[in-house]
Amino acid sequence: MNITLLQTELYWHDPVANRAMLEEQIAALPQSTDLIVLPEMFTTGFTMDAPAVAEPANLTTLRWLRQMAAQTGAVVTGSYVVREQGPSGMQYANRLIWMQPDGQYDVYDKRHLFRMAGEDGIYTAGQQRIVKTWKGWRICPLICYDLRFPVFSRNVSGTDDSFAYDLLLYVANWPAVRRHAWNVLLQARAIENLCYVAGVNRVGTDGNGHAYSGDSALINFKGEVLFQQADHPVAHQQTLSLATLNAFRQAFPANLDADAFTLL
């Protein structure tokens, strides 16, 4: 599978400019791809001003994602701020969209909300992760702060000892001041889950003055860094091998000795 990581700066609170910029980057890709991964909150930057920037769940950005997926023949995924009516009023979500070329899509709302920025007081947390099958791969997309919580991302199917996914994705706005944790945890998630891991972060400085170093990366199932780029925008494309992953899993089946657990 050919995966494309789009590490970019983001215009603060400007969805129109961000969609236009990302559309240009997608159009300029040098080769076809199967999966395009955008950063977290790719239309606005990581913001707590949800009422000012949130979109209805099924409007402009969703349609734009459908157009990008149809034009490229690839799944396009990333998160943005959505609003929808809840039982007790308007609710906001940091919502990842998994958009397929045929227009079918699935959603994942960020489960672990970053309380140090007040995200947990503004956004509604998701409850369930998703695992999507694409081009023979099983892929689990998660968001930023989720990276710190290994139980939620544990690579088990829930019914037996088999693997739930082959590729674990993280889309992020992860500040440069905590880049060491980002780099170490991406490798840890790959090693412990016997899978490829892709992390896509942004670069530049946001409207709150927070700097981002990018460090978007591809990590293999041994924890080896296949690709990483710091500080500068990049559109990186790379082909991953499912056969190589499966051969390693057969030779080193550490999952068979993992501790059983149940999520309540």
Side-chain angles (χ1 to χ4, degrees):
M1 181 179 66
N2 184 275
I3 183 172
T4 297
L5 314 182
L6 285 184
Q7 173 172 289
T8 184
E9 297 187 41
L10 294 173
Y11 296 98
W12 186 245
H13 286 197
D14 194 338
V16 173
N18 284 312
R19 286 191 297 266
M21 175 266 297
L22 289 166
E23 186 167 347
E24 289 182 0
Q25 292 190 19
I26 291 170
L29 292 175
Q31 59 180 316
S32 61
T33 188
D34 301 308
L35 173 60
I36 299 170
V37 189
L38 311 177
E40 177 186 22
M41 291 195 186
F42 65 84
T43 63
T44 59
F46 186 66
T47 179
M48 297 304 103
D49 196 3
V53 302
E55 297 181 27
N58 299 308
L59 203 59
T60 307
T61 296
L62 186 78
R63 295 173 182 172
W64 178 83
L65 285 165
R66 183 175 283 121
Q67 178 185 357
M68 292 300 98
Q71 287 179 356
T72 60
V75 165
V76 183
T77 190
S79 84
Y80 67 106
V81 183
V82 302
R83 67 174 185 265
E84 53 195 0
Q85 193 66 34
S88 57
M90 190 63 66
Q91 293 183 168
Y92 303 96
N94 183 350
R95 178 165 293 173
L96 178 142
I97 305 293
W98 175 271
M99 181 62 72
Q100 299 179 177
D102 63 2
Q104 298 298 307
Y105 69 95
D106 204 348
V107 305
Y108 163 68
D109 290 346
K110 187 177 183 181
R111 174 72 179 90
H112 299 93
L113 301 175
F114 190 58
R115 67 175 59 250
M116 283 68 86
E119 188 180 17
D120 60 320
I122 297 167
Y123 296 92
T124 300
Q127 299 301 315
Q128 299 291 331
R129 72 186 193 188
I130 61 174
V131 175
K132 305 303 297 180
T133 299
W134 179 241
K135 298 294 180 77
W137 289 68
R138 295 163 298 173
I139 303 169
C140 179
L142 298 175
I143 304 174
C144 203
Y145 193 44
D146 287 333
L147 178 61
R148 289 184 177 267
F149 303 96
V151 172
F152 188 67
S153 64
R154 179 79 170 271
N155 194 3
V156 292
S157 66
T159 57
D160 52 33
D161 292 327
S162 64
F163 294 104
Y165 56 79
D166 308 304
L167 171 62
L168 185 58
L169 298 181
Y170 290 96
V171 304
N173 273 208
W174 192 288
V177 69
R178 290 185 290 277
R179 68 191 302 184
H180 177 70
W182 166 261
N183 293 330
V184 170
L185 291 173
L186 287 175
Q187 291 178 282
R189 296 295 87 82
I191 293 168
E192 71 196 10
N193 291 304
L194 292 172
C195 69
Y196 288 102
V197 170
V200 177
N201 193 22
R202 63 160 294 178
V203 291
T205 302
D206 69 16
N208 292 318
H210 300 306
Y212 299 85
S213 57
D215 298 302
S216 295
L218 283 170
I219 314 294
N220 76 5
F221 36 84
K222 297 179 183 179
E224 297 167 340
V225 178
L226 304 178
F227 164 80
Q228 191 158 45
Q229 174 66 57
D231 301 324
H232 303 291
V234 65
H236 177 74
Q237 296 184 281
Q238 188 159 338
T239 299
L240 306 179
S241 171
L242 188 57
T244 303
L245 169 62
N246 288 333
F248 181 79
R249 286 171 167 176
Q250 291 176 6
F252 194 81
N255 59 301
L256 299 181
D257 298 313
D259 299 305
F261 70 95
T262 301
L263 287 177
L264 301 178

